[in-house]
Amino acid sequence: MKKILLIHTGGTIAMEENKSTGGVNTKETHPLEATLRELSDIAEISVKNYVNLPSPHITPSHMLELAQFITSQTNSEKFDGIVITHGTDTLEETAYVLDLVLQTSIPVIVTGAMRSSNEHGSDGPYNLISSVRVACEEQSLGKGILVVFNDEIHAAKNVTKTHTSNIATFQSPQYGPIGIVTKRGVLFHHTPIRSSFFHVKNFSKNVVLLKAYAGMDGNLIQAATNKADGVVIEALGQGNLPPATVPALKELISNGIPVVLVSRCFNGIAQDIYSYEGGGKHLKEIGAIFSNGLNGQKARLKLMIALENTSEPDQLQRLFLQ
Ligand code: ASP
């Protein structure tokens, strides 16, 4: 029987609804005990209650420490796979940080739930069972960190939370899932390409994420000049910004603060196409770095990680094309 390390970090999967107030909150005792008994037919499960936090309380440092915790666990004991339960709000961010920093040869699956443990149609137990099944699969090896949710398997780099409440919330816009979980088995239909690994001990850089909008000026960008080590902007369309942002951007870049542009569109890639004032081609000429389809929150984490290794603009641009 396969040996799976199950790491709980909190989130709705570990929460309960208070029937008189309607509020959903964390629970002292983990609600997945009954599911664990059922799981013992599938795998030998070793449980670690790592933290019990709503995922808006999870920080990048928690994500990095989780990677270090996994490494220490797998160095001291042999496991065939790892399943992490996590709140869905920042699940994609934890999955992506693990994808960039964790070097392990066993499958690592991140999952959660949209409905708490005592709500009708609670999806936690089902997602947990599916995740353990995927973690036990030989085919899951070498595919990076996977997110298993609602019968789908997604690559950490592409997956994002798309719906506030629907259990089919996790989607990979533009790319789709890389596999599905059925009653009879686990079927992969794509293999993601993994290109970047980083060695990071801790996060020391502050990177802010801004979203562009019609009529945006340079005020918020300017505010970043003294406070941030890097800025990610969810730009318009293919990677364009209103012209009034340009002077502040130039100042930021000339002060050695990297500016990474992604698109606020959730499909497609930001590129240097338009040459008008504030167009992507113009922004590239003044030193903006273009990413390769990451969303804003993941580009921010990648820049935080990259800045621990280099602040050299050409190197950063190369990293963001991978
Ligand atoms: N707000 C919750 C959290 O992320 C949502 C969830 O887990 O589904 O912790």
Side-chain angles (χ1 to χ4, degrees):
M1 200 174 244
K2 296 268 169 112
K3 219 172 137 186
I4 303 297
L5 174 61
L6 172 60
I7 304 173
H8 292 308
T9 70
T12 296
I13 193 165
M15 292 186 189
E16 199 172 72
E17 185 182 50
N18 179 318
K19 294 294 176 194
S20 49
T21 66
V24 176
N25 209 337
T26 45
K27 215 177 161 267
E28 285 282 299
T29 53
H30 210 283
L32 291 168
E33 287 303 319
T35 315
L36 282 180
R37 284 192 289 280
E38 208 176 309
L39 277 172
S40 61
D41 292 341
I42 305 175
E44 188 186 328
I45 311 282
S46 196
V47 183
K48 295 280 176 201
N49 291 312
Y50 182 63
V51 286
N52 188 10
L53 293 174
S55 75
H57 296 200
I58 298 269
T59 64
S61 297
H62 285 117
M63 298 170 192
L64 205 54
E65 282 156 22
L66 178 61
Q68 289 156 357
F69 176 73
I70 292 171
T71 304
S72 73
Q73 293 294 305
T74 51
N75 282 345
S76 59
E77 208 175 329
K78 192 189 165 301
F79 292 102
D80 298 299
I82 295 177
V83 173
I84 301 160
T85 62
H86 197 288
T88 59
D89 290 351
T90 61
L91 187 153
E92 67 192 84
E93 283 157 276
T94 293
Y96 187 56
V97 168
L98 295 179
D99 203 50
L100 291 180
V101 304
L102 188 64
Q103 276 188 288
T104 177
S105 53
I106 61 174
V108 179
I109 317 297
V110 191
T111 193
M114 293 300 284
R115 299 182 186 138
S116 66
S117 58
N118 61 342
E119 283 177 64
H120 292 303
S122 169
D123 51 335
Y126 187 84
N127 285 336
L128 178 58
I129 292 168
S130 301
S131 298
V132 170
R133 288 175 61 206
V134 175
C136 289
E137 274 295 321
E138 293 293 317
Q139 295 176 79
S140 305
L141 287 169
K143 295 197 166 56
I145 309 302
L146 301 174
V147 171
V148 171
F149 221 93
N150 195 41
D151 280 339
E152 291 184 345
I153 309 168
H154 292 265
K157 185 175 172 187
N158 301 325
V159 73
T160 192
K161 185 173 181 177
T162 64
H163 197 287
T164 55
S165 56
N166 194 305
I167 60 166
T169 186
F170 282 100
Q171 305 289 327
S172 297
Q174 182 152 271
Y175 304 104
I178 63 164
I180 54 170
V181 182
T182 71
K183 270 195 189 304
R184 303 280 172 258
V186 172
L187 305 171
F188 282 96
H189 46 73
H190 284 88
T191 298
I193 296 167
R194 298 184 81 194
S195 40
S196 337
F197 273 116
F198 297 86
H199 293 282
V200 184
K201 285 208 172 72
N202 65 305
F203 284 128
S204 63
K205 307 292 182 195
N206 179 27
V207 175
V208 297
L209 171 60
L210 302 175
K211 185 168 191 154
Y213 46 85
M216 187 183 194
D217 61 22
N219 280 337
L220 285 175
I221 298 170
Q222 222 157 24
T225 309
N226 299 322
K227 302 217 172 58
D229 302 297
V231 175
V232 174
I233 306 178
E234 287 184 11
L236 308 172
Q238 293 217 50
N240 312 308
L241 288 173
T245 62
V246 172
L249 269 182
K250 278 186 177 161
E251 198 193 328
L252 208 59
I253 294 167
S254 67
N255 279 317
I257 300 171
V259 175
V260 173
L261 295 181
V262 300
S263 177
R264 70 176 195 178
C265 300
F266 61 86
N267 278 303
I269 293 172
Q271 289 182 331
D272 53 330
I273 306 297
Y274 291 96
S275 50
Y276 53 74
E277 175 87 357
K281 197 162 168 47
H282 176 221
L283 299 176
K284 181 138 181 142
E285 278 158 16
I286 66 174
I289 293 164
F290 280 75
S291 181
N292 60 349
L294 288 175
N295 65 22
Q297 55 271 32
K298 288 186 195 170
R300 171 181 175 262
L301 290 164
K302 185 163 186 178
L303 185 55
M304 285 173 71
I305 289 171
L307 283 173
E308 295 299 331
N309 293 276
T310 181
S311 53
E312 210 273 304
D314 288 345
Q315 247 177 313
L316 287 173
Q317 178 60 84
R318 267 197 302 281
L319 288 175
F320 271 95
L321 290 179
Q322 290 173 0

